[in-house]
Amino acid sequence: MELHFMGTGAGMPSKERNVTSICLNMNEERGTMWMFDCGEGTQHQILRTSLKLGRLEKLFITHLHGDHLYGLPGVLTSRSNHGAETHLDLYGPAGLRAFVETALRVSEAFLGYTYTIHEVEEGVVFEDEQVRVLATKLEHRIESFGYRIEEKEKPGRLCHEKLKALGIPPGPQYAQIKRGEDITLTDGSRLKSADFLEAPIPGRQVVILGDTRVLNKTIAFSKNADVLVHEATFGQEREALARKYYHATAAQAAHIASEAKAATLILTHISSRYQHGEEQTLLKEAKEQFENTHLARDFWYFSIPRKTASHS
């Protein structure tokens, strides 16, 4: 599981940073990729990476400002041109359906796959046996959401040695125990699966927030996240400007990460006012409150390590 940053700028592109888009590469876990926001030029950015639009399974939009949305028609049609035939799910605020359907209708675009648009509200927006995604409303000029991706707990390692010691050969019963099912042997004795499984492996938690003023509610939403991705449009010297335009500073993002007890904070959505190394001041301000902070840049990626088995 890796976060790939396709665009890390705010408002408009610069020579150093394209507008916002983040890919969550889950090739190992699901054989797919998810995308969060799709600013103009995102399809061009992806061409400079090893990521493939054909593997795009879900696309989440935080809000409908152009720097998070205008690349969507190009990504949708390029995905088709790359030969993708699998279904695509799109999630975002009310208005996403009108934008997508209008763009595709007016341009007479052809998509060689089906898609579903989900206009989200707060709460669970997707869940299957592997992962759950929750949304929360933020505070921005227009409706804006944050998403929490929760990987579900996995069963612990099967204790093959203990089973073999009881004379049970590898086979279907091993699979039953791995699934957490108790089994009955031919002699009538019953084995509890919990006695033959190591401690379960906790799932990873990733929080990706859209544009927002600093909000206390995001502390609970980001609680114990392995990674929190938070906007840091401005430095402390522009805190009043950040509030005026419904954005956050790097130091405010660090405060949220610290209070939420997140493991890692990644700053993105950097104003074009900070170029040629000036953005390092944002990183410095954040690290004063939360040491494990990274400043994202275009084409940078962050690997999210698997957690060790829980023994609680």
Side-chain angles (χ1 to χ4, degrees):
M1 186 181 284
E2 300 168 336
L3 284 167
H4 291 250
F5 290 81
M6 297 296 100
T8 57
M12 59 184 183
S14 69
K15 290 181 179 180
E16 295 186 4
R17 296 178 183 272
N18 196 47
V19 284
T20 299
S21 183
I22 303 168
C23 294
L24 180 61
N25 186 16
M26 296 189 287
N27 189 49
E28 181 181 330
E29 293 80 11
R30 300 174 68 93
T32 63
M33 173 181 75
W34 292 4
M35 184 182 292
F36 293 82
D37 284 334
C38 190
E40 183 181 1
T42 294
Q43 63 173 322
H44 296 275
Q45 298 289 90
I46 286 178
L47 289 174
R48 297 176 61 183
T49 73
S50 60
L51 302 175
K52 305 296 181 186
L53 280 177
R55 291 188 180 273
L56 182 61
E57 177 190 13
K58 296 185 180 296
L59 203 161
F60 297 84
I61 299 296
T62 61
H63 64 293
L64 303 184
H65 276 155
D67 58 320
H68 296 253
L69 183 70
Y70 285 168
L72 192 49
V75 162
L76 295 179
T77 51
S78 284
R79 183 179 187 268
S80 183
N81 292 336
H82 289 164
E85 297 179 346
T86 54
H87 187 81
L88 178 66
D89 284 290
L90 296 93
Y91 302 81
L96 179 62
R97 177 175 289 105
F99 177 85
V100 171
E101 292 180 350
T102 300
L104 296 179
R105 184 183 72 252
V106 170
S107 63
E108 298 188 12
F110 170 78
L111 301 185
Y113 56 86
T114 58
Y115 66 91
T116 302
I117 298 173
H118 310 265
E119 294 190 332
V120 304
E121 294 291 342
E122 287 194 308
V124 177
V125 298
F126 170 74
E127 185 169 12
D128 66 8
E129 68 282 354
Q130 286 184 307
V131 70
R132 181 172 73 152
V133 181
L134 299 97
T136 191
K137 286 186 178 181
L138 305 174
E139 187 178 347
H140 194 47
R141 229 170 19 90
I142 62 174
E143 189 173 56
S144 181
F145 285 91
Y147 295 103
R148 181 182 177 105
I149 305 94
E150 298 182 340
E151 185 183 36
K152 293 186 177 179
E153 182 179 85
K154 294 184 178 182
R157 190 184 73 87
L158 186 67
C159 301
H160 295 81
E161 300 79 7
K162 292 174 68 174
L163 290 167
K164 288 177 181 177
L166 293 175
I168 304 171
Q173 290 179 316
Y174 279 38
Q176 285 180 266
I177 293 174
K178 183 68 175 176
R179 292 194 298 267
E181 301 170 9
D182 297 343
I183 64 170
T184 302
L185 302 181
T186 55
D187 63 4
S189 59
R190 190 145 179 89
L191 301 184
K192 293 188 175 182
S193 62
D195 294 334
F196 299 91
L197 290 172
E198 292 185 354
I201 302 169
R204 290 162 287 188
Q205 319 290 315
V206 180
V207 176
I208 300 173
L209 303 182
D211 290 7
T212 184
R213 284 173 171 168
V214 63
L215 280 179
N216 284 333
K217 70 179 290 190
T218 59
I219 295 172
F221 191 71
S222 307
K223 199 71 175 176
N224 299 321
D226 293 273
V227 180
L228 168 61
V229 180
H230 200 296
E231 72 135 282
T233 308
F234 299 110
Q236 278 298 90
E237 83 286 356
R238 292 187 171 95
E239 184 176 351
L241 193 64
R243 179 160 185 82
K244 178 181 179 180
Y245 289 104
Y246 293 85
H247 286 296
T249 68
Q252 289 171 336
H255 170 75
I256 297 297
S258 178
E259 292 296 309
K261 294 181 170 54
T264 299
L265 170 65
I266 300 177
L267 305 176
T268 189
H269 201 266
I270 310 303
S271 169
S272 59
R273 291 173 172 84
Y274 304 93
Q275 295 193 54
H276 310 300
E278 293 175 350
E279 67 274 13
Q280 293 303 313
T281 61
L282 304 180
L283 182 61
K284 181 176 181 294
E285 289 173 2
K287 278 180 170 286
E288 288 174 358
Q289 292 191 61
F290 191 82
E291 177 59 31
N292 196 21
T293 300
H294 300 272
L295 182 69
R297 60 184 184 276
D298 289 15
F299 308 115
W300 178 73
Y301 72 92
F302 180 81
S303 295
I304 307 166
R306 288 190 181 276
K307 292 182 176 179
T308 56
S310 171
H311 295 281
S312 60

